[in-house]
Amino acid sequence: MGDMTNSDFYSKNQRNESSHGGEFGCTMEELRSLMELRGTEAVVKIKETYGDTDAICRRLKTSPVEGLPGTAPDLEKRKQIFGQNFIPPKKPKTFLQLVWEALQDVTLIILEIAAIISLGLSFYHPPGENNEGCATAQGGAEDEGEAEAGWIEGAAILLSVICVVLVTAFNDWSKEKQFRGLQSRIEQEQKFTVVRAGQVVQIPVAEIVVGDIAQVKYGDLLPADGLFIQGNDLKIDESSLTGESDQVRKSVDKDPMLLSGTHVMEGSGRMVVTAVGVNSQTGIIFTLLGAGGEEEEKKDKKAKQQDGAAAMEMQPLKSAEGGDADDKKKANMHKKEKSVLQGKLTKLAVQIGKAGLVMSAITVIILVLYFTVDTFVVNKKPWLPECTPVYVQYFVKFFIIGVTVLVVAVPEGLPLAVTISLAYSVKKMMKDNNLVRHLDACETMGNATAICSDKTGTLTTNRMTVVQAYVGDVHYKEIPDPSSINAKTMELLVHAIAINSAYTTKILPPEKEGALPRQVGNKTECGLLGFVLDLKQDYEPVRARMPEEKLYKVYTFNSVRKSMSTVIKLPDESFRMYSKGASEIVLKKCCKILSGAGEPRVFRPRDRDEMVKKVIEPMACDGLRTICVAYRDFPSSPEPDWDNENDILNELTCICVVGIEDPVRPEVPEAIRKCQRAGITVRMVTGDNINTARAIAIKCGIIHPGEDFLCLEGKEFNRRIRNEKGEIEQERIDKIWPKLRVLARSSPTDKHTLVKGIIDSTHTEQRQVVAVTGDGTNDGPALKKADVGFAMGIAGTDVAKEASDIILTDDNFSSIVKAVMWGRNVYDSISKFLQFQLTVNVVAVIVAFTGACITQDSPLKAVQMLWVNLIMDTFASLALATEPPTETLLLRKPYGRNKPLISRTMMKNILGHAVYQLTLIFTLLFVGEKMFQIDSGRNAPLHSPPSEHYTIIFNTFVMMQLFNEINARKIHGERNVFDGIFRNPIFCTIVLGTFAIQIVIVQFGGKPFSCSPLQLDQWMWCIFIGLGELVWGQVIATIPTSRLKFLKEAGRLTQKEEIPEEELNEDVEEIDHAERELRRGQILWFRGLNRIQTQIEVVNTFKSGASFQGALRRQSSVTSQSQDVANLSSPSRVSLSNALSSPTSLPPAAAGHPRREGVS
């Protein structure tokens, strides 16, 4: 039956398709196979089958200009036939799978085995049970009445194991669920611009259908497959699909195929959507993988290792370092590297585990030895065969006591505390406008020592307004009166601004009365359009007369050009080009300027210098961005060679220079002051002019007049960090970065170089932890390289968001400060938990150990231990990990990567409280019966019911833990431990809840918990002793930590462990261990030698006129060797780029891929 319906459905679907094929003129299959073609093949296929792209649009019933009508039935029909733009996600792990994973924990396995053995033996009654000849251990070895209640212990252990497993599994499950919620939220927020019914609208990516006309622009991540129908200068990075790192230029007649999942690196245009969801190229790959991430990652890794160039996925191509491809590989691994905190915790857990193992082994050995010596040596009993099972039972009991000691020693709560703390923080950070994509970014942020921030949009409001202008030889300090500007100049100005900007940029009326007009699109262009409106002109009619399709050629803005130009055809067939861009760049290309009368006059270099001094610098010193608007006319014949940019973008006529203000966000100066107080250096990296940048930096408080700091331009920065051969040297970067505060006119590569230089530096004793903010496509590499990358949620491009760890949903710098606060809070929460947990562990282990050795039996029973473990681990981790952060966290310096998890103060607290608890417990153990006038619990006869004596010990122990939990809320030796306790309701609930359950256990726990009910006065004493913990805490706080030199810290990461293993192993296979020990001097010598060899080689090659490639090959293999050695020399990896890579001496292809040459 099932089969039947299935095939039925399929044939129906086929029929559907064929019948609809007629309706739409092409089926899904046809379009899908068309999209699998590339380049010229595709063009030929389109010509043969359809005619041209317009014909395809007609078949899909859509208009290249108006788009789809956008009616609901039409959209619904398209979704049915061509599918939805949605790729179903991978199935999440089921709860049972998570339970199975949680069961893999080693400690739990040991416990399960012990419990099962114990259960088995309790049901097995050997014949020699009542044989008088068999020895019984002295004292309370059998005090629990193994005969009737023997199974209880095993069952209880199993029960507690189940508890721990369920809690862990539930935690993982909720984390997974949260993460999926987060993913879907990110996906829902992704919008894309399409044209429907002639209106440009933004719709969620999932709503895009086949036949939509989508507008693509610089920085987009394409959401579906399509055909390019019109646009200019569109370049796409298809490395995510093809692995080719070169950008692909798209044009209607050569390569119109636009594929989903690829990045737009330059230009803009329109495409008609031809395949969505699972039928798009990315969708097909996903379907092959079963929408599985794992296989994809494996493939990814393989591809990355095979092809260094593909690993440069988002690297700016004109990268100046030969070692960049390698670097990218590292950056990819760097994300998978354990976070600092996890590293420290793993180390600590292993140390504690080892100590616990030793203790438990000693306990078992002592118990076994004591028993055998006592039985066979002192009492001289023979070992009778029928007694064997009895003795085995004793040994199992000793084994269980040993395991109990181990269980208490190992803090299983650690992973739980970390997870809870991170998950809680991430959830709360959403409210503070931080959308965390990678969990560990949250705690890394707490260690941040440097933030490299963009200026526009992060430190400033990104609402551009023109406030000064230089038009017709006059410098206006405010917006000029329209009548004062010559009519000819005015017309040119309006046309130049209206036409030479993206048509998606507009100024809309305000949403509310009295609000500012809304700026849509590129903010700088919005500022210029606003200037047109301020001059009482209108840009709409100009655009209506010259629609986007009629633009002859567009040179879009990119980080190399720093300008944008648009060419139009005038009615008389001649051409006019409008240009705008950074004033110092555009003015260099101007040879004329419009005078007051609106006539062009000669503009000489000395005029330019004067203008820079009199107009541009004063504007920049007021913190304004200066933009120059210019134009140039070309004759109709001969038609200029538009591809020769250098000739085209020259001999311009300057129309005006405007100063655009982008005001500093009001909350930024305060946020930066907080960062500086918290020991975080803020650096500004911007593409703006240096004077503008400096003025803004002073307004923000990044630099204070009179301080010793550096403000550099990108060119100067590069000159200072490169040696004669143009290679970047880490030593040179180390001289600059500590004082550098502003990097102006910087390219994306400069940003990446700076971040990498600071991270790799060994100049300070702690490795710097760098956070970077970015919004542009070109910020991708720097965001990936940084320890924490922040992308802008509003202004950020998809590429930047992909590369980031945290997305700032409000684009605001002060949200970064919140992230720092949360990060530090995670760290502190875990330290609090550790301080509390370890006190319990130390006490419990020592009590169990000494008790077992002296009285043959632990005063705290296995089940009681497990209850203690449960409250200590699970509940305490919940209570202490959810403390909300306070501003005081920002008053201390960052901890740094090598700071131990457990500081001296914490060690003092742990040992101090342990001393108090042990003293009282042993007092109760040995003289408790006299104090309370009750029967002694020690050496109780066989099968006796649980004694009040041991119940009091257990109860007191738990009470002391409860009050110590309050002490653990402070880890820096503060006096007031109740400070802000009511701000954390979870904490109060847990403490009271634990107390309530404890009463139930003691009064009604009976045999399973080895408890007998206590009287009120005994309860009072237990609580009183517990309260003593708070008083004792004050005593401990009085002892100065500095006096206690003998205290060791624990859980620190040493410098050596800092370097992730992969980084060392990557290039080292061929270098043996001895060479790894080469000292610094030898390495430098080795490097020098290699360089000389290379130079001789090159000279010889040129002499003999042999193939240039040979030298290159040799060079790149040498480079790779010297890189490998440099890799070992120190954690700061000095990237030795190609000695030949200065552009003058290499054909560009070779300079781009030095590694490939070496491989070939």
Side-chain angles (χ1 to χ4, degrees):
M1 169 68 206
D3 271 2
M4 166 71 199
T5 49
N6 214 355
S7 56
D8 224 31
F9 167 77
Y10 190 69
S11 55
K12 241 208 289 274
N13 226 11
Q14 289 297 84
R15 278 207 302 280
N16 241 351
E17 229 170 67
S18 47
S19 64
H20 281 309
E23 197 173 318
F24 272 120
C26 41
T27 63
M28 183 172 83
E29 288 304 315
E30 286 169 16
L31 289 173
R32 188 169 152 170
S33 56
L34 170 67
M35 289 318 290
E36 278 165 8
L37 302 173
R38 301 278 178 276
T40 37
E41 288 178 32
V43 178
V44 172
K45 171 88 171 153
I46 292 173
K47 275 214 172 68
E48 283 173 5
T49 320
Y50 303 102
D52 60 356
T53 42
D54 282 355
I56 294 183
C57 290
R58 281 198 296 282
R59 286 198 184 194
L60 290 173
K61 302 197 173 156
T62 179
S63 139
V65 184
E66 297 282 311
L68 291 177
T71 56
D74 177 53
L75 295 178
E76 211 31 64
K77 195 159 66 188
R78 285 173 192 272
K79 277 184 192 166
Q80 266 171 7
I81 299 166
F82 297 113
Q84 292 186 329
N85 196 20
F86 170 71
I87 296 173
K90 191 174 97 208
K91 275 203 178 73
K93 285 186 178 155
T94 59
F95 189 69
L96 286 175
Q97 278 170 310
L98 292 171
V99 167
W100 177 244
E101 276 175 21
L103 277 170
Q104 310 297 314
D105 188 64
V106 186
T107 338
L108 290 182
I109 293 174
I110 296 176
L111 271 182
E112 287 153 28
I113 295 171
I116 290 165
I117 294 176
S118 161
L119 269 177
L121 284 171
S122 69
F123 291 125
Y124 162 65
H125 293 304
E129 180 74 60
N130 303 323
N131 187 334
E132 284 309 306
C134 301
T136 50
Q138 161 242 327
E142 282 283 337
D143 69 340
E144 236 150 307
E146 297 289 278
E148 308 98 63
W151 60 274
I152 291 179
E153 198 158 324
I157 295 180
L158 278 181
L159 191 75
S160 64
V161 167
I162 291 169
C163 271
V164 173
V165 167
L166 286 178
V167 169
T168 318
F170 179 73
N171 211 4
D172 286 345
W173 179 76
S174 59
K175 189 170 82 182
E176 174 99 348
K177 197 170 136 209
Q178 244 180 352
F179 190 69
R180 286 191 178 264
L182 205 71
Q183 281 303 85
S184 64
R185 212 192 110 166
I186 296 177
E187 277 160 20
Q188 280 158 12
E189 281 182 356
Q190 266 189 327
K191 291 219 166 39
F192 208 78
T193 316
V194 297
V195 181
R196 285 196 178 165
Q199 290 292 314
V200 178
V201 288
Q202 284 217 326
I203 59 169
V205 168
E207 296 294 312
I208 292 177
V209 294
V210 170
D212 257 323
I213 301 295
Q215 291 197 342
V216 296
K217 61 178 187 311
Y218 163 75
D220 282 342
L221 183 71
L222 297 182
D225 292 355
L227 295 173
F228 185 49
I229 41 180
Q230 166 267 318
N232 31 63
D233 221 14
L234 192 67
K235 284 190 188 157
I236 307 271
D237 170 14
E238 293 187 348
S239 59
S240 55
L241 281 182
T242 61
E244 284 299 316
S245 58
D246 298 332
Q247 292 173 13
V248 186
R249 204 191 188 108
K250 298 288 176 187
S251 61
V252 182
D253 45 2
K254 291 205 182 65
D255 182 2
M257 314 309 268
L258 299 178
L259 306 172
S260 60
T262 58
H263 295 138
V264 182
M265 301 309 276
E266 231 179 87
S268 60
R270 289 181 174 199
M271 70 167 187
V272 56
V273 177
T274 53
V276 292
V278 282
N279 301 307
S280 66
Q281 291 303 302
T282 312
I284 292 169
I285 294 173
F286 263 110
T287 322
L288 289 177
L289 293 176
E294 280 109 54
E295 296 109 302
E296 193 181 14
E297 259 175 29
K298 277 182 211 145
K299 272 196 191 139
D300 250 20
K301 263 199 181 144
K302 244 192 223 140
K304 292 241 157 62
Q305 276 154 9
Q306 284 159 3
D307 185 351
M312 292 170 66
E313 239 184 271
M314 300 179 31
Q315 204 56 15
L317 273 179
K318 299 195 178 54
S319 171
E321 288 176 58
D324 260 4
D326 264 50
D327 229 55
K328 234 22 250 154
K329 263 196 237 169
K330 290 247 162 62
N332 285 330
M333 298 202 164
H334 152 88
K335 284 288 174 249
K336 300 192 180 49
E337 191 191 314
K338 264 196 189 153
S339 71
V340 187
L341 184 64
Q342 277 169 326
K344 290 180 182 178
L345 281 175
T346 317
K347 206 171 163 210
L348 192 69
V350 169
Q351 287 170 346
I352 296 172
K354 281 182 186 160
L357 254 175
V358 172
M359 289 292 276
S360 63
I362 295 175
T363 313
V364 175
I365 292 168
I366 289 182
L367 284 171
V368 171
L369 278 179
Y370 191 97
F371 176 73
T372 43
V373 169
D374 190 57
T375 311
F376 304 119
V377 181
V378 180
N379 297 337
K380 302 194 171 55
K381 294 236 170 117
W383 181 300
L384 301 171
E386 64 267 25
C387 287
T388 308
V390 183
Y391 294 147
V392 168
Q393 211 165 353
Y394 275 120
F395 290 145
V396 169
K397 182 166 172 64
F398 298 149
F399 177 65
I400 286 184
I401 292 176
V403 171
T404 319
V405 172
L406 177 64
V407 174
V408 179
V410 175
E412 305 87 9
L414 264 187
L416 201 65
V418 178
T419 317
I420 291 177
S421 183
L422 285 175
Y424 172 77
S425 304
V426 167
K427 208 166 178 174
K428 288 277 190 256
M429 280 168 84
M430 291 281 285
K431 292 200 179 81
D432 283 337
N433 305 312
N434 283 298
L435 202 156
V436 182
R437 291 183 67 233
H438 299 133
L439 267 182
D440 55 354
C442 176
E443 51 101 352
T444 313
M445 216 30 229
N447 285 325
T449 53
I451 298 177
C452 295
S453 172
D454 270 2
K455 175 180 79 73
T456 313
T458 318
L459 299 174
T460 57
T461 54
N462 202 8
R463 198 189 157 79
M464 310 276 186
T465 37
V466 173
V467 288
Q468 295 190 19
Y470 178 88
V471 194
D473 295 340
V474 188
H475 184 177
Y476 297 96
K477 292 287 186 166
E478 53 241 10
I479 299 288
D481 189 275
S483 57
S484 65
I485 296 176
N486 178 289
K488 246 204 244 148
T489 310
M490 182 69 97
E491 189 196 4
L492 270 170
L493 179 63
V494 174
H495 277 74
I497 291 174
I499 293 170
N500 185 29
S501 54
Y503 278 32
T504 47
T505 306
K506 349 186 200 340
I507 293 195
L508 302 176
E511 283 173 340
K512 292 196 212 60
E513 278 289 305
L516 294 166
R518 277 182 301 155
Q519 297 189 338
V520 181
N522 180 314
K523 298 297 192 249
T524 312
E525 291 177 351
C526 286
L528 291 168
L529 291 174
F531 179 53
V532 170
L533 298 177
D534 289 340
L535 292 172
K536 309 281 182 286
Q537 307 293 316
D538 193 3
Y539 61 89
E540 288 289 358
V542 179
R543 283 186 175 179
R545 285 198 300 278
M546 177 60 66
E548 210 170 352
E549 302 78 67
K550 282 201 190 159
L551 302 180
Y552 197 79
K553 170 98 181 120
V554 178
Y555 299 97
T556 47
F557 180 88
N558 66 24
S559 53
V560 180
R561 285 193 192 116
K562 295 242 192 258
S563 67
M564 170 181 176
S565 314
T566 305
V567 182
I568 59 170
K569 215 171 189 168
L570 297 174
D572 63 357
E573 292 297 305
S574 67
F575 300 98
R576 172 171 290 169
M577 177 177 76
Y578 293 116
S579 238
K580 68 164 190 291
S583 55
E584 51 261 59
I585 290 169
V586 177
L587 280 177
K588 277 196 184 109
K589 298 176 177 164
C590 288
C591 62
K592 295 191 177 126
I593 187 165
L594 291 183
S595 65
E599 294 304 325
R601 63 177 169 79
V602 180
F603 184 61
R604 290 181 300 274
R606 67 157 186 269
D607 300 333
R608 186 176 74 231
D609 296 342
E610 189 180 353
M611 182 152 166
V612 167
K613 265 205 198 64
K614 297 261 174 70
V615 180
I616 291 171
E617 282 185 0
M619 279 187 186
C621 291
D622 291 340
L624 305 183
R625 291 174 78 166
T626 54
I627 303 276
C628 174
V629 182
Y631 78 101
R632 178 181 176 184
D633 286 330
F634 296 96
S636 53
S637 65
E639 185 172 328
D641 171 12
W642 299 116
D643 288 334
N644 184 351
E645 250 181 78
N646 293 342
D647 292 357
I648 301 288
L649 292 179
N650 227 329
E651 300 180 12
L652 306 175
T653 307
C654 169
I655 305 173
C656 73
V657 172
V658 295
I660 297 186
E661 183 184 45
D662 182 6
V664 172
R665 287 175 179 261
E667 63 281 343
V668 161
E670 172 60 18
I672 286 182
R673 211 169 52 248
K674 278 183 190 163
C675 280
Q676 289 163 342
R677 208 171 46 216
I680 301 170
T681 314
V682 182
R683 294 182 173 81
M684 182 161 100
V685 183
T686 173
D688 263 352
N689 162 325
I690 188 147
N691 296 321
T692 312
R694 192 183 285 123
I696 299 274
I698 290 172
K699 279 186 193 164
C700 294
I702 290 178
I703 52 183
H704 304 286
E707 272 183 8
D708 179 22
F709 54 78
L710 282 174
C711 293
L712 294 180
E713 283 202 340
K715 277 203 185 97
E716 172 66 8
F717 172 70
N718 271 310
R719 195 181 61 69
R720 289 198 188 187
I721 62 170
R722 291 172 192 275
N723 59 16
E724 307 73 66
K725 298 206 192 78
E727 301 162 351
I728 295 177
E729 286 194 351
Q730 185 65 41
E731 290 88 64
R732 289 172 180 248
I733 298 184
D734 284 349
K735 287 194 187 118
I736 293 177
W737 72 258
K739 286 188 178 173
L740 183 70
R741 290 294 176 274
V742 176
L743 185 57
R745 280 277 173 254
S746 68
S747 70
T749 328
D750 295 339
K751 191 172 189 175
H752 180 257
T753 309
L754 175 66
V755 172
K756 181 178 176 311
I758 298 180
I759 288 179
D760 290 349
S761 169
T762 47
H763 178 77
T764 46
E765 77 259 38
Q766 298 277 7
R767 145 152 147 51
Q768 295 279 311
V769 178
V770 185
V772 170
T773 68
D775 51 6
T777 307
N778 45 22
D779 291 330
L783 288 171
K784 262 209 159 99
K785 179 70 197 162
D787 294 287
V788 183
F790 284 93
M792 301 296 138
I794 303 167
T797 57
D798 300 342
V799 183
K801 289 180 191 170
E802 263 314 294
S804 70
D805 301 292
I806 297 180
I807 296 174
L808 294 179
T809 48
D810 62 346
D811 287 14
N812 192 336
F813 187 84
S814 58
S815 302
I816 298 180
V817 181
K818 292 259 174 51
V820 172
M821 220 156 82
W822 275 108
R824 292 186 172 190
N825 191 52
V826 167
Y827 213 89
D828 278 7
S829 297
I830 286 158
S831 294
K832 288 171 191 173
F833 172 69
L834 269 175
Q835 176 177 307
F836 172 65
Q837 166 89 41
L838 292 181
T839 313
V840 180
N841 284 6
V842 170
V843 174
V845 168
I846 294 178
V847 167
F849 175 71
T850 45
C853 296
I854 297 169
T855 64
Q856 304 303 286
D857 177 25
S858 168
L860 296 172
K861 298 291 174 286
V863 184
Q864 295 175 351
M865 285 288 209
L866 287 162
W867 158 241
V868 169
N869 230 1
L870 197 72
I871 62 167
M872 296 321 137
D873 284 2
T874 320
F875 295 144
S877 62
L878 251 177
L880 291 167
T882 51
E883 289 271 315
T886 54
E887 288 280 328
T888 47
L889 287 170
L890 293 175
L891 297 178
R892 61 172 175 77
K893 298 275 178 279
Y895 279 146
R897 293 177 86 90
N898 316 358
K899 168 139 184 351
L901 264 179
I902 299 175
S903 62
R904 280 225 172 118
T905 314
M906 286 167 62
M907 210 46 138
K908 176 182 77 175
N909 290 344
I910 291 171
L911 295 178
H913 286 294
V915 167
Y916 173 83
Q917 297 185 8
L918 285 170
T919 315
L920 281 164
I921 284 178
F922 284 132
T923 310
L924 285 175
L925 182 60
F926 295 113
V927 293
E929 71 272 27
K930 297 195 185 80
M931 288 160 55
F932 288 106
Q933 274 108 40
I934 47 174
D935 298 333
S936 164
R938 284 180 321 237
N939 309 344
L942 271 180
H943 310 322
S944 58
S947 66
E948 284 187 0
H949 183 189
Y950 274 17
T951 309
I952 290 179
I953 293 178
F954 166 58
N955 200 16
T956 311
F957 181 63
V958 173
M959 288 301 125
M960 290 196 287
Q961 302 324 329
L962 270 183
F963 286 102
N964 194 24
E965 199 165 333
I966 299 174
N967 276 330
R969 290 185 65 248
K970 299 286 177 243
I971 49 173
H972 296 299
E974 296 94 330
R975 287 264 172 202
N976 181 6
V977 287
F978 291 101
D979 178 36
I981 194 164
F982 296 116
R983 283 224 317 279
N984 187 359
I986 301 181
F987 184 86
C988 306
T989 321
I990 284 178
V991 171
L992 294 172
T994 316
F995 186 64
I997 300 174
Q998 178 64 19
I999 294 177
V1000 174
I1001 288 180
V1002 171
Q1003 297 306 91
F1004 311 105
K1007 215 48 187 280
F1009 279 98
S1010 322
C1011 287
S1012 84
L1014 297 180
Q1015 266 94 46
L1016 188 62
D1017 61 326
Q1018 291 167 335
W1019 264 103
M1020 284 302 145
W1021 274 107
C1022 292
I1023 294 172
F1024 173 72
I1025 294 175
L1027 274 168
E1029 268 288 347
L1030 293 173
V1031 182
W1032 184 246
Q1034 296 302 316
V1035 176
I1036 294 179
T1038 323
I1039 306 170
T1041 316
S1042 50
R1043 286 282 169 80
L1044 308 172
K1045 290 278 185 290
F1046 60 90
L1047 287 182
K1048 284 277 186 293
E1049 301 152 327
R1052 74 163 41 197
L1053 274 182
T1054 49
Q1055 200 66 32
K1056 203 161 175 186
E1057 289 154 33
E1058 271 268 304
I1059 321 166
E1061 278 302 296
E1062 303 99 330
E1063 252 183 60
L1064 277 176
N1065 296 343
E1066 202 161 296
D1067 311 315
V1068 184
E1069 283 88 4
E1070 68 272 32
I1071 296 187
D1072 70 328
H1073 193 71
E1075 267 182 73
R1076 200 177 295 190
E1077 308 300 276
L1078 277 175
R1079 277 186 303 285
R1080 202 58 198 264
Q1082 286 168 296
I1083 286 162
L1084 288 171
W1085 157 248
F1086 194 72
R1087 232 186 271 165
L1089 195 68
N1090 261 335
R1091 281 189 192 162
I1092 295 167
Q1093 284 174 337
T1094 308
Q1095 284 154 3
I1096 294 170
E1097 189 94 3
V1098 173
V1099 173
N1100 290 345
T1101 313
F1102 277 125
K1103 269 189 197 153
S1104 61
S1107 93
F1108 187 71
Q1109 291 298 323
L1112 248 182
R1113 264 180 218 141
R1114 155 86 188 131
Q1115 164 55 29
S1116 81
S1117 65
V1118 169
T1119 307
S1120 66
Q1121 282 172 19
S1122 49
Q1123 260 174 353
D1124 299 337
V1125 178
N1127 221 353
L1128 303 172
S1129 61
S1130 68
S1132 85
R1133 179 163 173 286
V1134 184
S1135 165
L1136 279 167
S1137 62
N1138 252 322
L1140 294 173
S1141 74
S1142 54
T1144 49
S1145 59
L1146 269 202
H1153 306 299
R1155 270 303 159 94
R1156 273 210 182 149
E1157 296 298 337
V1159 175
S1160 61

